[in-house]
Amino acid sequence: MSARVLCAIASLACLLSSCAGRPVSEGGTLISSFAAAPAIDTPVKKGPQDPVALTPVAWGRLNNPAGLSGRTIEVASIADLKLRDKEVVLTFDDGPMPKKTERILATLDEFGVKGTFLMVGEMAKAHPDIAKLVARSGHTIGSHTYRHANLRSLSFDAAVEEIEKGKLAVSHATNEEVGFFRFPYLADSSRLRSWVAANGMVVLDVQIDSKDYFSDSPAAVATRTMNALRNHGRGIILLHDIHNRTAAMLPALLTQLKAEGYKVVNLQHSHKPSLLMASLAN
């Protein structure tokens, strides 16, 4: 075999070994899953496992996920939840969900940050091992009713029963106190909000809605979330740990947050009365 033929074979082998854009496997690393891909002329519809594009400022930070974790805020009432510029709270609703929640937990652990998981009672009851894993991993536990009911469509007594049943189920599954609550569909009322506060839970509202419940690509979810956050500057981010697209885009979102100087704040429920509650009592 001539030297020219051997050279051609070697060049071809080198080219094939460097090809990018292969489908990302479930066990892919952060670097392989979110490497920059070459430009293509024909748009290709992306699925829930495809890489999420990062901005150039983030590409060089994939090997160093540390440094995103921010301060811990002790929260006794909604008045205590005051975020500074470039601070975010990561919240995950509707779980736990097998395979999705565990992937999200692994990503949060890799970046050294904590989230708040607002669990649906019947999901926590169905998957207690995952619920306990969330709690053991040091994340904040909250409830999201028992069956994700729209509380505005129920009588006050029925809504209260739904909240209490959900709180009890989540507490039983996690062996943790439930200090936070979010209204399904954000469908609240002033009377229900007052009841939740009077019964020892803090209502978590939303400033940044990722809308990851839409059937969009992971890249679209990450882009929408970052655009909304840039406009707002800070806030509680609404995500869901029941979607593949959320688990797929989370490493890219966290990488981008770090690249742009954001910090992920951890919430800790406190029984201490806030200044607002103390002033009302006096």
Side-chain angles (χ1 to χ4, degrees), residues 188-269:
D188 61 356
S189 71
S190 58
R191 188 181 180 191
L192 283 173
R193 289 178 74 96
S194 296
W195 185 93
V196 170
N199 283 269
M201 290 188 292
V202 178
V203 175
L204 287 184
D205 294 311
V206 174
Q207 286 83 49
I208 311 299
D209 187 353
S210 71
K211 295 184 172 63
D212 58 350
Y213 40 84
F214 290 163
S215 297
D216 293 330
S217 69
V221 176
T223 299
R224 177 169 52 236
T225 303
M226 286 306 307
N227 286 341
L229 182 56
R230 291 178 189 121
N231 289 333
H232 205 276
R234 73 189 85 174
I236 300 173
I237 301 176
L238 171 61
L239 301 156
H240 297 79
D241 57 325
I242 60 172
H243 302 303
N244 272 324
R245 70 183 70 91
T246 306
M249 72 89 190
L250 189 59
L253 177 66
L254 297 184
T255 299
Q256 194 66 43
L257 286 174
K258 184 190 174 188
E260 297 188 24
Y262 288 90
K263 292 289 186 180
V264 175
V265 168
N266 182 36
L267 301 184
Q268 181 175 312
H269 187 253

Side-chain angles (χ1 to χ4, degrees), residues 142-160:
S143 66
H144 197 42
T145 73
Y146 183 75
R147 56 185 177 88
H148 205 276
N150 184 335
L151 300 185
R152 283 183 187 164
S153 67
L154 303 178
S155 67
F156 178 77
D157 289 342
V160 165

Side-chain angles (χ1 to χ4, degrees), residues 32 54 86 93 148 176-177 282:
S32 65
L54 301 178
K86 295 281 188 173
D93 287 10
H148 205 276
E176 293 280 340
E177 178 185 334
N282 293 328

Side-chain angles (χ1 to χ4, degrees), residues 34-37 52-63 255-256 259:
F34 295 92
V52 177
L54 301 178
T55 64
V57 73
W59 288 343
R61 309 203 180 201
L62 289 167
N63 287 318
T255 299
Q256 194 66 43

